[in-house]
Amino acid sequence: MLMTLMVSLVIVYLFYVLVLPEVELIVFRLNNPKKRFLPPELEMKWANRTMLRSCEFLFVGWFFYFGASIGSFLNVVAWRVPEGRTIVFGGSKCPFCDTHLSFIDNTPVLGWLYLQGKCRTCRLPIAPRYLLIEIAVGLAFMWLALWQLVRGGANLPHWHTFGREGLVNIVLDPPWPLISIYLVHAGMFGILIMLATANTGRKPFPVFSLVLIALGLASAKIIYPALDVVAWDLPFVETGLTGFGPRANPAMSVLVGALAGGLIGWVSSFVFARGFGSVIGRHWVLQCFLVGTVLGWQSVVTIVVLSLIVYAVLRPAHRMISPKLSNWTIANQSLGLNACFIITAMVHQTFWSQLAHLLGLI
Ligand SMILES: [Zn+2]
């Protein structure tokens, strides 16, 4: 399995570095038959272009791996926190034979593939959930790095990129506010994925722990107001509620967002359960609460309404396959709605600026 992964990675790399530029060149020539000058990247010498593209490939791969490592840690959190165990001390162990995992076996994604999903000592299966969380969190970190960081925050409403897009700019002149926003947003997606899968555990994730996480993010927003991307009083600026001061406005943003998230989560859980007869999962309200705290009340309204629409559209398909899923546990059934919510939140993040403009939040 590991060998197949390595070979596919090499193929993707060669395609990105050698084949894709040629395809781009052909497409450009077809679209602009009269232009004599090429875009800078296509104009570059072959060696320079290969080097730049290799750096880009490494950059993206690094962000995937960074996310997968966070996912690996969140796996530990999802498993140990509901059990009331510490997450700071004690390395990872096999849940069956208590053997400590070595550094190589504990490597995100590769460790699981290398062991082919079985413990090295007792050969009992390690749940694919671990691998899936690491991949999902890795993909979330990678996608946000590409779409939010490399594009200079072009997806954020009210954000001016100041021409600081591109990989080279980020490395040579790091835009710290944007990097901080990226870390908070990517971290939020990681926790959403962790909570969605923590539904399958024996005990629910304690509300108190999540409130602590949300409080940490809230104080970060107040200490560093650049993290407050959308002001809480939009689009109702004219009402005269503004002008609370540089610290008080982010504080209001956190307060209104958390309250709105909790309330919308609570109301929508009834809509989903009674209206659609769907299994919600026990962390739904907490997930909405977290989105409200981090992204603001406007985003949590948009994301919940959008996922309601998407879920209504997908419901016939879900009904068609649900007899086949009848042997699934309740916890696994809730994954459908949770995946719908997280993917909608990611699409919202991708087109956040356009959506805010469309809905009059600018
Ligand atoms: Zn074992």
Side-chain angles (χ1 to χ4, degrees), residues 155-227:
N155 65 321
L156 301 175
H158 314 280
W159 192 268
H160 300 286
T161 57
F162 300 113
R164 291 173 75 175
E165 300 107 339
L167 184 61
V168 179
N169 273 325
I170 286 175
V171 176
L172 294 183
D173 183 14
W176 294 115
L178 190 63
I179 292 173
S180 317
I181 293 173
Y182 163 77
L183 287 175
V184 170
H185 289 178
M188 181 199 77
F189 275 98
I191 297 171
L192 286 182
I193 294 168
M194 186 268 287
L195 283 176
T197 48
N199 280 325
T200 51
R202 275 170 289 174
K203 291 178 190 162
F205 199 82
V207 177
F208 177 68
S209 304
L210 199 90
V211 170
L212 270 188
I213 296 172
L215 270 179
L217 291 169
S219 27
K221 240 181 177 181
I222 295 163
I223 294 165
Y224 193 44
L227 293 173

Side-chain angles (χ1 to χ4, degrees), residues 279-295:
V279 183
I280 299 155
R282 50 195 173 197
H283 303 112
W284 177 261
V285 180
L286 287 177
Q287 285 168 309
C288 295
F289 167 78
L290 189 68
V291 172
T293 313
V294 175
L295 302 181

Side-chain angles (χ1 to χ4, degrees), residues 93-99 101 118-124:
K93 280 190 215 168
C94 165
F96 302 109
C97 66
D98 261 1
T99 312
L101 294 183
K118 287 186 193 110
C119 167
R120 187 190 286 279
T121 318
C122 65
R123 306 304 294 162
L124 282 170

Side-chain angles (χ1 to χ4, degrees), residues 154-158 348-358 362:
N155 65 321
L156 301 175
H158 314 280
H348 169 272
Q349 190 81 13
T350 306
F351 301 106
W352 193 0
S353 178
Q354 289 96 323
L355 274 170
H357 196 72
L358 198 74
I362 282 183

Side-chain angles (χ1 to χ4, degrees), residues 10 23 121 134 136 186 205 220 236 250 326:
V10 171
V23 176
T121 318
E134 285 166 5
F205 199 82
F236 308 111
S326 56

